[in-house]
Amino acid sequence: MKDLLLITPPFTQLNTPYPGTAYLKGFLNTRNISCFQMDLGIEVILSLFSKQGLEGIFSHAEKQQTIASENAGRIYALRGSYIRTIEGVIRFLQDKTPTFARQVCTENFLPRASRFEQLDDLDEAFGHMGLQDRAKHLATLYLEDLSDFIIECIDPHFGFSRYAERLGKSANSFDELYGNLQQGPTYMDQVALPLLDQKLRQIQPKMVCFSVPFPGNLYSAFRCGGYIKAHYKEIKIAMGGGFPNTELRSLTDARVFEFVDYICLDDGEKPIELLADHVLNQTASEVSPGRLKRTFMLDQGKVIYNNLSEEKDYRQSELGTPDYSDFLLDQYISVIEIANPMHSLWTDGRWNKLTMAHGCYWGKCTFCDISLDYIKIYEPIAARLLVDRMEQLMQQTGDNGFHFVDEAAPPALMRAVALEILRRKLTVTWWTNIRFEKSFSRDLCLLLKASGCIAVSGGLEVASDRLLQLIDKGVTVAQVAQVTRNFTEAGIMVHAYLMYGYPTQTVQETIDSLEMVRQLFECGVLQSGFWHQFAMTAHSPVGLHPEAFQVIPEKKTIGFANNDIAFRDESGIDHQKFSQGLKTSLYNYMHGVGFDFPLQDWFEFEIPHPGIGEHYIVDCLEADALVHKQAAKVVWLGNPPEIKKISRKGKAQTLLDLTFHSPAAIIDFTLEEKQGRWLVGMLEKLARENAGMTFVQFKESFEKTGGIFEQFWTAEFRSDLRECGLLLV
């Protein structure tokens, strides 16, 4: 028996748990509030994609006579092959049977439907992947074929990472969602609700808390909430997470509370602590709504916003380490949708998720929800505490991979975390989201790589300096090119979030932006990307002040969700028509092909010629003026050199030959003995102190030997020392 049951409703990710409940459970541990957490989504997926699950799906489709298309007919005809292979495929994608890859890669083992039609093109365009990755890709196509069958014949709302998403997106009125909830359970509901019931009987919670990060989790949360209210009337139900935080801030529709009792906004720790105290300690005779924090509830039939508590939110250092216990960590499914190593990070492998800082240190982008606390309130976590938490999670989960899910990780904190990881001699793999700002020098990128950083993702948004300035992004296209080059040369993959249709954006700027992206990929400084059309949100500067951006919002009555705002751009341009061409070209660029195609080839309508030079990005890279700061820290990551003394005939002065062994090369220096002894001693000191010296102190130390630093510290010497492991960060 537990006080609380924390649930992530279907669906989020196949390969790793969404971290919302893990964060909350870690905090509740510090308050001695007992709880259990479950990812209902992965349990539904495992139930569906099993021998018994597929037998049920095919039987249901036959009884309902919903098999209409040629593709669905083929999958049904091959049902025996699917039922025979499904459990082996799932175990392989759970990394339990790696040798099964050889079987998966044989041509006639997996049944194949429409998703496999692209295979010949993949082989020709992208070459042959490694055996394990290729097998994962084939198994992913196999699952996507089954998903297509489910959507067509069983449940049109189904998706591996979302369910009934359309019902939750931009739902200003609760009417349509409410109407669907009044109908009988869908096929997916009939799978999910027995699993929920089993857990309720096992845990016997006094309150159930649903974490709803996305619109694609909302329907299932309400369906589960309605089931609990119908069958377990004594259990109270709360909801929180990213969707309520952004969408439900103007909630007035009392019908929502037929499915939940409370909806909490923003950071959930203090609201849930107060709510748990209110629910767990309230006697049956008490009817007071209590002194809660940022919580919607029903009082005398009307929706009220209870923010009566004056207790402050906890600091990040007080929240405890996320707790991943209770999750079925060995049963998550790694998939590879496309043959791109950067793109696959979101779907392949299990990651421990952490944040370096609450909020965004920049907090200015005009398309972003910068008026809301999750962006507005910036609070970094100390590097030592972060790495403490990493070690605790490694011990708990057995996994040393980390995804820092920050809005934008601060460069200074990334540096501090990297140094702390190296100081403790930890072997970890990590990646995060960033801004492409000039702080990411060559040396800092090399330091991050040495600490285990394998990838970064960041918003290039619109590759136009005019629009970047209007967005208040704080970067230029040239700067982005130089920073992505620094990451790439350090061996860190780069993904760019790309935007089109921003207010006042012209057709010429859209095409020029695509040309910039083409050149970034062709130069090899960008490995992955994703285009999305600009959406105006209620809490962004554009949404709050649309007239300043020449857009006209459509006014609607808000009773339920309010985030995405329909609008009319005064330019009259139909930006949607560029979607397919942008996405198709990017798909090819990500796989290293199509660079020589005219941009016109990607579109079925006439577009203008690019207005920028064909070597624009190359020129930006050659003009790189990024230099280290005098206050930069000096860090030594290399190995001690082999030292050989060289005497020169007829000369009193002797030389030192220093041989450095880096992971990739052997580098020799011949220096005057005095300078060589100074360098060796300095490297020994740096190895002990781990960034305890600034560049100015480093320079002054050399000058005390009587040497002229500028003659010693040449660009070529500096470059060679960097390769040996001497960095200025």
Side-chain angles (χ1 to χ4, degrees), residues 135-155:
K136 281 185 181 179
H137 180 59
L138 293 171
T140 301
L141 297 176
Y142 163 96
L143 291 182
E144 288 176 338
D145 275 335
L146 287 171
S147 173
D148 291 342
F149 184 87
I150 292 170
I151 292 168
E152 179 181 337
C153 304
I154 306 293
D155 191 336

PDB file of all heavy atoms in Angstrom, residues 135-155:
ATOM      1  N   ALA A 135      19.549  -4.005 -38.219  1.00  0.00           N
ATOM      2  CA  ALA A 135      18.493  -4.896 -37.725  1.00  0.00           C
ATOM      3  C   ALA A 135      17.441  -4.110 -36.945  1.00  0.00           C
ATOM      4  O   ALA A 135      16.239  -4.370 -37.070  1.00  0.00           O
ATOM      5  CB  ALA A 135      19.103  -5.985 -36.851  1.00  0.00           C
ATOM      6  N   LYS A 136      17.884  -3.139 -36.144  1.00  0.00           N
ATOM      7  CA  LYS A 136      16.919  -2.301 -35.417  1.00  0.00           C
ATOM      8  C   LYS A 136      16.046  -1.514 -36.384  1.00  0.00           C
ATOM      9  O   LYS A 136      14.843  -1.333 -36.155  1.00  0.00           O
ATOM     10  CB  LYS A 136      17.652  -1.337 -34.478  1.00  0.00           C
ATOM     11  CG  LYS A 136      18.139  -1.953 -33.186  1.00  0.00           C
ATOM     12  CD  LYS A 136      18.743  -0.887 -32.277  1.00  0.00           C
ATOM     13  CE  LYS A 136      19.257  -1.500 -30.985  1.00  0.00           C
ATOM     14  NZ  LYS A 136      19.862  -0.467 -30.097  1.00  0.00           N
ATOM     15  N   HIS A 137      16.658  -1.035 -37.457  1.00  0.00           N
ATOM     16  CA  HIS A 137      15.894  -0.272 -38.440  1.00  0.00           C
ATOM     17  C   HIS A 137      14.856  -1.162 -39.118  1.00  0.00           C
ATOM     18  O   HIS A 137      13.689  -0.765 -39.287  1.00  0.00           O
ATOM     19  CB  HIS A 137      16.839   0.337 -39.476  1.00  0.00           C
ATOM     20  CG  HIS A 137      16.142   1.136 -40.527  1.00  0.00           C
ATOM     21  ND1 HIS A 137      15.363   2.234 -40.240  1.00  0.00           N
ATOM     22  CD2 HIS A 137      16.097   0.987 -41.870  1.00  0.00           C
ATOM     23  CE1 HIS A 137      14.867   2.724 -41.358  1.00  0.00           C
ATOM     24  NE2 HIS A 137      15.291   1.985 -42.362  1.00  0.00           N
ATOM     25  N   LEU A 138      15.246  -2.371 -39.499  1.00  0.00           N
ATOM     26  CA  LEU A 138      14.301  -3.300 -40.119  1.00  0.00           C
ATOM     27  C   LEU A 138      13.178  -3.670 -39.152  1.00  0.00           C
ATOM     28  O   LEU A 138      11.999  -3.732 -39.533  1.00  0.00           O
ATOM     29  CB  LEU A 138      15.031  -4.558 -40.589  1.00  0.00           C
ATOM     30  CG  LEU A 138      16.032  -4.363 -41.737  1.00  0.00           C
ATOM     31  CD1 LEU A 138      16.837  -5.650 -41.957  1.00  0.00           C
ATOM     32  CD2 LEU A 138      15.320  -3.958 -43.016  1.00  0.00           C
ATOM     33  N   ALA A 139      13.532  -3.912 -37.900  1.00  0.00           N
ATOM     34  CA  ALA A 139      12.518  -4.244 -36.894  1.00  0.00           C
ATOM     35  C   ALA A 139      11.582  -3.065 -36.645  1.00  0.00           C
ATOM     36  O   ALA A 139      10.388  -3.257 -36.364  1.00  0.00           O
ATOM     37  CB  ALA A 139      13.198  -4.674 -35.593  1.00  0.00           C
ATOM     38  N   THR A 140      12.109  -1.860 -36.761  1.00  0.00           N
ATOM     39  CA  THR A 140      11.270  -0.664 -36.607  1.00  0.00           C
ATOM     40  C   THR A 140      10.263  -0.569 -37.739  1.00  0.00           C
ATOM     41  O   THR A 140       9.076  -0.269 -37.524  1.00  0.00           O
ATOM     42  CB  THR A 140      12.149   0.601 -36.575  1.00  0.00           C
ATOM     43  OG1 THR A 140      13.080   0.498 -35.491  1.00  0.00           O
ATOM     44  CG2 THR A 140      11.298   1.848 -36.393  1.00  0.00           C
ATOM     45  N   LEU A 141      10.709  -0.822 -38.971  1.00  0.00           N
ATOM     46  CA  LEU A 141       9.786  -0.818 -40.112  1.00  0.00           C
ATOM     47  C   LEU A 141       8.692  -1.880 -39.928  1.00  0.00           C
ATOM     48  O   LEU A 141       7.515  -1.642 -40.252  1.00  0.00           O
ATOM     49  CB  LEU A 141      10.546  -1.085 -41.413  1.00  0.00           C
ATOM     50  CG  LEU A 141      11.596  -0.036 -41.817  1.00  0.00           C
ATOM     51  CD1 LEU A 141      12.327  -0.487 -43.076  1.00  0.00           C
ATOM     52  CD2 LEU A 141      10.952   1.326 -42.026  1.00  0.00           C
ATOM     53  N   TYR A 142       9.072  -3.010 -39.402  1.00  0.00           N
ATOM     54  CA  TYR A 142       8.127  -4.104 -39.110  1.00  0.00           C
ATOM     55  C   TYR A 142       7.051  -3.633 -38.122  1.00  0.00           C
ATOM     56  O   TYR A 142       5.845  -3.847 -38.335  1.00  0.00           O
ATOM     57  CB  TYR A 142       8.957  -5.267 -38.565  1.00  0.00           C
ATOM     58  CG  TYR A 142       8.270  -6.367 -37.822  1.00  0.00           C
ATOM     59  CD1 TYR A 142       7.896  -7.548 -38.468  1.00  0.00           C
ATOM     60  CD2 TYR A 142       8.070  -6.281 -36.447  1.00  0.00           C
ATOM     61  CE1 TYR A 142       7.321  -8.606 -37.769  1.00  0.00           C
ATOM     62  CE2 TYR A 142       7.493  -7.322 -35.735  1.00  0.00           C
ATOM     63  CZ  TYR A 142       7.113  -8.478 -36.398  1.00  0.00           C
ATOM     64  OH  TYR A 142       6.554  -9.519 -35.703  1.00  0.00           O
ATOM     65  N   LEU A 143       7.480  -2.945 -37.037  1.00  0.00           N
ATOM     66  CA  LEU A 143       6.515  -2.423 -36.065  1.00  0.00           C
ATOM     67  C   LEU A 143       5.646  -1.326 -36.671  1.00  0.00           C
ATOM     68  O   LEU A 143       4.450  -1.220 -36.363  1.00  0.00           O
ATOM     69  CB  LEU A 143       7.241  -1.882 -34.831  1.00  0.00           C
ATOM     70  CG  LEU A 143       7.929  -2.904 -33.923  1.00  0.00           C
ATOM     71  CD1 LEU A 143       8.559  -2.200 -32.724  1.00  0.00           C
ATOM     72  CD2 LEU A 143       6.937  -3.959 -33.445  1.00  0.00           C
ATOM     73  N   GLU A 144       6.239  -0.497 -37.541  1.00  0.00           N
ATOM     74  CA  GLU A 144       5.464   0.573 -38.169  1.00  0.00           C
ATOM     75  C   GLU A 144       4.407   0.011 -39.118  1.00  0.00           C
ATOM     76  O   GLU A 144       3.317   0.577 -39.240  1.00  0.00           O
ATOM     77  CB  GLU A 144       6.400   1.529 -38.895  1.00  0.00           C
ATOM     78  CG  GLU A 144       7.214   2.398 -37.933  1.00  0.00           C
ATOM     79  CD  GLU A 144       8.232   3.285 -38.622  1.00  0.00           C
ATOM     80  OE1 GLU A 144       8.621   2.958 -39.767  1.00  0.00           O
ATOM     81  OE2 GLU A 144       8.635   4.294 -38.029  1.00  0.00           O
ATOM     82  N   ASP A 145       4.707  -1.099 -39.784  1.00  0.00           N
ATOM     83  CA  ASP A 145       3.681  -1.768 -40.586  1.00  0.00           C
ATOM     84  C   ASP A 145       2.504  -2.190 -39.700  1.00  0.00           C
ATOM     85  O   ASP A 145       1.332  -1.987 -40.046  1.00  0.00           O
ATOM     86  CB  ASP A 145       4.262  -3.005 -41.284  1.00  0.00           C
ATOM     87  CG  ASP A 145       4.939  -2.673 -42.618  1.00  0.00           C
ATOM     88  OD1 ASP A 145       4.571  -1.658 -43.230  1.00  0.00           O
ATOM     89  OD2 ASP A 145       5.825  -3.440 -43.033  1.00  0.00           O
ATOM     90  N   LEU A 146       2.810  -2.773 -38.555  1.00  0.00           N
ATOM     91  CA  LEU A 146       1.752  -3.182 -37.631  1.00  0.00           C
ATOM     92  C   LEU A 146       0.979  -1.969 -37.102  1.00  0.00           C
ATOM     93  O   LEU A 146      -0.243  -2.016 -36.931  1.00  0.00           O
ATOM     94  CB  LEU A 146       2.351  -3.981 -36.472  1.00  0.00           C
ATOM     95  CG  LEU A 146       2.808  -5.401 -36.812  1.00  0.00           C
ATOM     96  CD1 LEU A 146       3.592  -6.013 -35.656  1.00  0.00           C
ATOM     97  CD2 LEU A 146       1.603  -6.288 -37.155  1.00  0.00           C
ATOM     98  N   SER A 147       1.705  -0.883 -36.860  1.00  0.00           N
ATOM     99  CA  SER A 147       1.047   0.347 -36.424  1.00  0.00           C
ATOM    100  C   SER A 147       0.077   0.854 -37.482  1.00  0.00           C
ATOM    101  O   SER A 147      -1.046   1.282 -37.170  1.00  0.00           O
ATOM    102  CB  SER A 147       2.101   1.416 -36.116  1.00  0.00           C
ATOM    103  OG  SER A 147       1.492   2.660 -35.837  1.00  0.00           O
ATOM    104  N   ASP A 148       0.482   0.804 -38.748  1.00  0.00           N
ATOM    105  CA  ASP A 148      -0.405   1.217 -39.843  1.00  0.00           C
ATOM    106  C   ASP A 148      -1.676   0.361 -39.856  1.00  0.00           C
ATOM    107  O   ASP A 148      -2.782   0.869 -40.087  1.00  0.00           O
ATOM    108  CB  ASP A 148       0.312   1.091 -41.190  1.00  0.00           C
ATOM    109  CG  ASP A 148       1.436   2.103 -41.351  1.00  0.00           C
ATOM    110  OD1 ASP A 148       1.454   3.103 -40.610  1.00  0.00           O
ATOM    111  OD2 ASP A 148       2.306   1.880 -42.219  1.00  0.00           O
ATOM    112  N   PHE A 149      -1.516  -0.930 -39.606  1.00  0.00           N
ATOM    113  CA  PHE A 149      -2.674  -1.831 -39.569  1.00  0.00           C
ATOM    114  C   PHE A 149      -3.612  -1.453 -38.424  1.00  0.00           C
ATOM    115  O   PHE A 149      -4.842  -1.409 -38.591  1.00  0.00           O
ATOM    116  CB  PHE A 149      -2.201  -3.280 -39.412  1.00  0.00           C
ATOM    117  CG  PHE A 149      -3.309  -4.288 -39.455  1.00  0.00           C
ATOM    118  CD1 PHE A 149      -3.748  -4.799 -40.667  1.00  0.00           C
ATOM    119  CD2 PHE A 149      -3.924  -4.732 -38.289  1.00  0.00           C
ATOM    120  CE1 PHE A 149      -4.779  -5.738 -40.719  1.00  0.00           C
ATOM    121  CE2 PHE A 149      -4.954  -5.668 -38.323  1.00  0.00           C
ATOM    122  CZ  PHE A 149      -5.387  -6.169 -39.541  1.00  0.00           C
ATOM    123  N   ILE A 150      -3.040  -1.164 -37.256  1.00  0.00           N
ATOM    124  CA  ILE A 150      -3.857  -0.791 -36.095  1.00  0.00           C
ATOM    125  C   ILE A 150      -4.626   0.497 -36.371  1.00  0.00           C
ATOM    126  O   ILE A 150      -5.825   0.605 -36.077  1.00  0.00           O
ATOM    127  CB  ILE A 150      -2.963  -0.637 -34.847  1.00  0.00           C
ATOM    128  CG1 ILE A 150      -2.414  -2.010 -34.424  1.00  0.00           C
ATOM    129  CG2 ILE A 150      -3.737  -0.004 -33.694  1.00  0.00           C
ATOM    130  CD1 ILE A 150      -1.342  -1.944 -33.357  1.00  0.00           C
ATOM    131  N   ILE A 151      -3.950   1.489 -36.952  1.00  0.00           N
ATOM    132  CA  ILE A 151      -4.596   2.778 -37.226  1.00  0.00           C
ATOM    133  C   ILE A 151      -5.735   2.605 -38.226  1.00  0.00           C
ATOM    134  O   ILE A 151      -6.809   3.194 -38.065  1.00  0.00           O
ATOM    135  CB  ILE A 151      -3.554   3.787 -37.741  1.00  0.00           C
ATOM    136  CG1 ILE A 151      -2.569   4.143 -36.616  1.00  0.00           C
ATOM    137  CG2 ILE A 151      -4.231   5.047 -38.270  1.00  0.00           C
ATOM    138  CD1 ILE A 151      -1.351   4.907 -37.089  1.00  0.00           C
ATOM    139  N   GLU A 152      -5.511   1.792 -39.259  1.00  0.00           N
ATOM    140  CA  GLU A 152      -6.537   1.623 -40.296  1.00  0.00           C
ATOM    141  C   GLU A 152      -7.685   0.726 -39.842  1.00  0.00           C
ATOM    142  O   GLU A 152      -8.852   1.022 -40.118  1.00  0.00           O
ATOM    143  CB  GLU A 152      -5.904   1.031 -41.557  1.00  0.00           C
ATOM    144  CG  GLU A 152      -6.921   0.799 -42.674  1.00  0.00           C
ATOM    145  CD  GLU A 152      -6.311   0.177 -43.922  1.00  0.00           C
ATOM    146  OE1 GLU A 152      -5.081   0.311 -44.122  1.00  0.00           O
ATOM    147  OE2 GLU A 152      -7.059  -0.445 -44.701  1.00  0.00           O
ATOM    148  N   CYS A 153      -7.384  -0.328 -39.111  1.00  0.00           N
ATOM    149  CA  CYS A 153      -8.384  -1.367 -38.872  1.00  0.00           C
ATOM    150  C   CYS A 153      -8.897  -1.437 -37.431  1.00  0.00           C
ATOM    151  O   CYS A 153      -9.960  -2.040 -37.186  1.00  0.00           O
ATOM    152  CB  CYS A 153      -7.809  -2.735 -39.242  1.00  0.00           C
ATOM    153  SG  CYS A 153      -7.193  -2.832 -40.935  1.00  0.00           S
ATOM    154  N   ILE A 154      -8.168  -0.871 -36.485  1.00  0.00           N
ATOM    155  CA  ILE A 154      -8.514  -1.064 -35.079  1.00  0.00           C
ATOM    156  C   ILE A 154      -8.843   0.248 -34.379  1.00  0.00           C
ATOM    157  O   ILE A 154      -9.904   0.404 -33.778  1.00  0.00           O
ATOM    158  CB  ILE A 154      -7.357  -1.760 -34.309  1.00  0.00           C
ATOM    159  CG1 ILE A 154      -6.958  -3.060 -35.014  1.00  0.00           C
ATOM    160  CG2 ILE A 154      -7.733  -1.992 -32.854  1.00  0.00           C
ATOM    161  CD1 ILE A 154      -8.023  -4.134 -34.983  1.00  0.00           C
ATOM    162  N   ASP A 155      -7.922   1.221 -34.448  1.00  0.00           N
ATOM    163  CA  ASP A 155      -8.067   2.453 -33.667  1.00  0.00           C
ATOM    164  C   ASP A 155      -7.328   3.587 -34.361  1.00  0.00           C
ATOM    165  O   ASP A 155      -6.097   3.638 -34.345  1.00  0.00           O
ATOM    166  CB  ASP A 155      -7.494   2.249 -32.256  1.00  0.00           C
ATOM    167  CG  ASP A 155      -7.845   3.373 -31.304  1.00  0.00           C
ATOM    168  OD1 ASP A 155      -8.122   4.494 -31.777  1.00  0.00           O
ATOM    169  OD2 ASP A 155      -7.843   3.140 -30.082  1.00  0.00           O
TER     170      ASP A 155
END
